[in-house]
Amino acid sequence: MTDRQHLLVHGGTFAAVGDGGDISGVRGSGSPDGLFVRDARHLSRWQLTVDGAVPEALSPVADGDSARCVLVPRGGRQEPPAYTLFREQAVADGAFVEALRVTSNRPVPTTVRIAVTADVDFSDQFELRSDHRTYAKIGAVRSREILDDGVEFSYRRGEWRSCTTVTAEPAPDSVEETGTGARRLVWALDLEPHGSAELALRVAAHPHGTPHPEVPASPSAVNEQVRALEDEFTEGVPFPTGWPELSAACARGLADLAVLQVPATGPDGEELRVPAAGVPWFLTLLGRDALLTSLFALPYRPQLAAATLPALAAAQATATGTGAVAQPGKIVHEVRHGELAHFGQVPYGRYYGSVDATPLFLVLLGAYVEQTGDVATARRLEPHARAAIGWMLDHGGLTSRGYLVYRADEGGLANQNWKDSPGAICSADGSRATGPVMAAGAQGYAYDALRRTAHLSRTVWEDEVYAALLEQAAGDLRDRFQRDFWMPERAFPALALDGDGNQVDALASDAGHLLWSGLLDKEYGELVGRRLLEPDFFSGWGVRTVASGQAAYHPLSYHRGSVWPHDNALITLGLARYGLHDEARTVAHALVDAATASGSRLPEVLAGYGRDTHGEPVPYPHACVRESRSAAAPLALLTAVGGA
């Protein structure tokens, strides 16, 4: 694509359109192009032409909950446009709707030929990634059926069935074949002098195993739904009156969280809505992301935790599965609903490649009960919590290795902590850790999980023996960690231990997570907190994932020098926990300034360039535009520093 992409999202559906509202169906680009529902592309081409030509954008699509643009025919200064097109698009759950108004600029009657070329390739999202992998689809058949008011595209492969229906009001005068599989809906519109005509187009996606969606009548109807959702999420939140920029970031984040909710089911089959990780690539349930989002939002929107906990309990592993690295008690890392996951061609249908989702599940359960007093949930999820503890002690490695351990998963994730890109866990010289890895941050989560679950055991489950066992395990973990991970010569904890127990010595932001979890003694914690605010770590927009000056550092690396808002939110909470309130305010102000520079929205990740040389935050090239952890990060800042 030569123009920018604009993302529309609502629940489990998103669309990426160009400046003029078209979809070109490009493969292998930095961001997928089309309409997507449940990991599949349900609209791969959507191109408007007028009198046989593609109009140009006089006013391109602006970012928002709906896409609005103004189009005119291409021409020169001496040829004023004969007509103007006003185009508005929006997405709802399983649906894409468009309102198109054509206005004549001529003083005489005019006939305008409008055509919309539509196609659906039903590609799985994993086919569209830039790694250009291919997947065999033996027996797959695509078909098209002309309807009275449009066309239906269908796909089948074995028991897998999907379809997309395109309808219009008024019905097209004709539906033409194009020779490529696409279909062209055509209207001949007679316009009075300076008159107008309107078309309403509706796309209904019906992925495998789902009911037909209810398609809203128009983009304005969708906008009303979205505004109601956003109002529900922002109502009653105590925004700081003395810090309007933080208030705006909190409001923007809550509005994004309102539409980043995807369907899930609980242990008894109950229907839930949980935070998706983000768009465009992760509009699905990711355990770690949903847990951290729910933790950040807990004091303000506890309903996110109330849905996330049972959804993850329902997906908790009960047996060992090699392809999905499942083990009894382990909390799921990623849930996918697409065709490739269904047929086992990618391992992510239910994928358990995360060392930290399981302790974070326990952290959220303990924090949720403490925040809300909902002991019924603690009792209901007691078997799941005990199974999660069992995983940490047994399969997770706490008993045998003394720490939570992960091993690279061939065909899945090499690293299974939050920094999960292949080279993220590295030494200062950039060399990668080898063998089983014990990541520092995960040990902090485990410590907090043991302590919180011990409290539940004592106060809700009335099991004093179990509580004492968990408290002893937590104390032992704390002692071991400070002995094995602390680097005296650098007054900082190692990023990880490798398979031989050697320190992986990169100076990394994960140390701030240890403050959040309370794993470090006060003296060590204060040293770490102040160190994170030194110039090699602190860019002015936040704390870098890896401090500059090390060979491992790169400002445009995903996890080795970039700045992550959710990472910084955890650091800010940790700084406040250790009484480093000035440092917490410094990080919070930097993040809020970064949000203000981007319309009050924090992206998934920023480049690591310093504010002293770059007066505006530099975007990371492949970041999720809307990401639930980043959307909730301003709420964590509000918790940590209030309106300061």
Side-chain angles (χ1 to χ4, degrees):
M1 294 180 66
T2 58
D3 57 358
R4 297 183 303 147
Q5 282 193 336
H6 306 268
L7 291 173
L8 305 172
V9 59
H10 190 139
T13 302
F14 80 90
V17 301
D19 277 340
D22 281 352
I23 292 168
S24 63
V26 170
R27 286 176 177 261
S29 61
S31 181
D33 180 32
L35 171 69
F36 292 84
V37 187
R38 289 175 70 87
D39 304 324
R41 183 153 67 179
H42 279 265
L43 203 57
S44 56
R45 189 175 178 193
W46 188 255
Q47 186 175 47
L48 172 68
T49 58
V50 186
D51 293 335
V54 177
E56 63 180 347
L58 181 65
S59 172
V61 168
D63 291 326
D65 292 322
S66 63
R68 295 183 178 90
C69 59
V70 181
L71 310 172
V72 293
R74 299 178 185 272
R77 183 175 297 178
Q78 304 304 317
E79 303 173 48
Y83 49 80
T84 306
L85 299 101
F86 301 88
R87 196 175 194 185
E88 183 176 7
Q89 301 163 325
V91 298
D93 279 336
F96 174 87
V97 290
E98 175 168 331
L100 181 64
R101 178 162 53 91
V102 187
T103 299
S104 172
N105 298 323
R106 291 176 171 173
V108 296
T110 303
T111 299
V112 178
R113 187 175 187 269
I114 301 290
V116 174
T117 302
D119 198 8
V120 184
D121 61 6
F122 297 100
S123 292
D124 192 288
Q125 266 197 305
F126 285 93
E127 296 178 85
L128 302 176
R129 300 200 176 192
S130 56
D131 57 13
H132 300 291
R133 295 185 186 181
T134 58
Y135 299 88
K137 293 185 170 185
I138 298 171
V141 176
R142 291 170 57 195
S143 59
R144 301 126 187 112
E145 179 183 354
I146 305 302
L147 309 175
D148 291 340
D149 57 353
V151 59
E152 181 173 270
F153 299 87
S154 299
Y155 177 84
R156 60 182 174 87
R157 175 189 172 195
E159 73 275 14
W160 185 269
R161 299 284 190 277
S162 294
C163 74
T164 298
T165 304
V166 178
T167 57
E169 185 180 344
D173 298 325
S174 62
V175 178
E176 302 174 348
E177 295 191 13
T178 63
T180 64
R183 295 294 184 265
R184 184 180 297 115
L185 287 69
V186 180
W187 297 261
L189 302 178
D190 296 322
L191 304 179
E192 297 294 326
H194 299 291
S196 297
E198 296 184 358
L199 298 176
L201 297 110
R202 303 181 182 96
V203 179
H206 184 202
H208 179 76
T210 65
H212 285 282
E214 294 184 11
V215 182
S218 64
S220 60
V222 175
N223 292 337
E224 289 180 10
Q225 294 177 8
V226 171
R227 279 192 294 270
L229 277 173
E230 292 176 348
D231 290 346
E232 177 186 338
F233 258 67
T234 56
E235 184 179 1
V237 175
F239 297 137
T241 56
W243 193 355
E245 294 83 2
L246 177 57
S247 294
C250 288
R252 179 68 269 170
L254 285 164
D256 283 347
L257 289 174
V259 296
L260 283 172
Q261 306 296 299
V262 294
T265 56
D268 299 319
E270 69 271 25
E271 295 183 359
L272 303 165
R273 304 285 289 189
V274 298
V279 287
W281 294 114
F282 298 101
L283 195 62
T284 190
L285 175 61
L286 267 65
R288 179 192 305 120
D289 297 61
L291 288 161
L292 288 172
T293 298
S294 300
L295 278 161
F296 291 164
L298 182 57
Y300 315 99
R301 286 291 171 262
Q303 62 265 42
L304 295 180
T308 295
L309 287 165
L312 292 176
Q316 186 176 33
T318 57
T320 299
T322 54
V325 291
Q327 294 162 332
K330 202 173 186 183
I331 295 298
V332 73
H333 170 62
E334 184 171 353
V335 177
R336 290 288 182 174
H337 304 282
E339 173 190 358
L340 297 182
H342 176 83
F343 286 104
Q345 293 175 276
V346 295
Y348 303 108
R350 279 192 181 180
Y351 179 65
Y352 294 85
S354 166
V355 74
D356 49 15
T358 306
L360 285 171
F361 172 80
L362 295 167
V363 171
L364 179 60
L365 177 61
Y368 170 76
V369 175
E370 179 181 350
Q371 177 75 36
T372 65
D374 181 3
V375 295
T377 292
R379 292 191 179 102
R380 182 191 184 200
L381 299 184
E382 179 182 356
H384 303 278
R386 287 179 180 265
I389 289 288
W391 177 82
M392 290 202 309
L393 293 174
D394 298 332
H395 294 284
L398 275 184
T399 299
S400 60
R401 298 295 298 262
Y403 299 107
L404 292 185
V405 180
Y406 67 82
R407 295 162 179 79
D409 175 30
E410 186 176 350
L413 294 172
N415 286 311
Q416 295 169 26
N417 62 323
W418 86 264
K419 290 178 176 174
D420 58 4
S421 55
I425 305 303
C426 63
S427 298
D429 63 7
S431 59
R432 300 182 181 186
T434 58
V437 172
M438 292 153 274
Q443 315 315 320
Y445 306 158
Y447 171 76
D448 199 13
L450 290 166
R451 291 178 64 252
R452 289 184 183 274
T453 309
H455 181 72
L456 286 179
S457 181
R458 179 172 289 114
T459 59
V460 180
W461 306 335
E462 299 179 350
D463 188 339
E464 178 63 38
V465 173
Y466 192 57
L469 183 152
L470 299 184
E471 287 173 340
Q472 181 65 46
D476 291 346
L477 173 58
R478 181 177 180 134
D479 293 341
R480 282 195 304 274
F481 183 90
Q482 295 187 149
R483 179 193 69 211
D484 296 340
F485 277 77
W486 190 254
M487 300 184 292
E489 71 285 359
R490 310 186 80 177
F492 207 76
L495 173 58
L497 302 180
D498 67 14
D500 295 322
N502 298 316
Q503 293 177 342
V504 181
D505 65 353
L507 299 182
S509 63
D510 303 58
H513 298 216
L514 304 176
L515 305 182
W516 175 63
S517 62
L519 181 59
L520 297 177
D521 287 342
K522 184 173 178 58
E523 177 187 356
Y524 285 173
E526 290 176 351
L527 286 171
V528 166
R530 294 190 176 102
R531 182 66 181 84
L532 290 170
L533 270 293
E534 292 185 16
D536 57 346
F537 261 122
F538 186 64
S539 75
W541 304 112
V543 177
R544 298 179 175 101
T545 45
V546 167
S548 64
Q550 303 174 97
Y553 170 76
H554 191 303
L556 289 172
S557 169
Y558 198 48
H559 289 123
R560 283 168 51 164
S562 54
V563 173
W564 286 66
H566 95 272
D567 182 31
N568 277 262
L570 289 170
I571 291 169
T572 306
L573 290 166
L575 291 168
R577 176 172 186 160
Y578 278 76
L580 300 171
H581 299 295
D582 289 343
E583 289 82 358
R585 281 189 289 269
T586 297
V587 177
H589 277 274
L591 276 187
V592 171
D593 288 349
T596 302
S598 305
S600 299
R601 175 181 284 142
L602 286 167
E604 174 192 21
V605 55
L606 294 164
Y609 294 108
R611 191 171 185 172
D612 54 344
T613 57
H614 297 80
E616 296 289 328
V618 178
Y620 180 81
H622 305 296
C624 284
V625 177
R626 299 197 197 183
E627 203 238 20
S628 62
R629 293 175 301 179
S630 291
L635 300 174
L637 304 181
L638 180 59
T639 300
V641 304

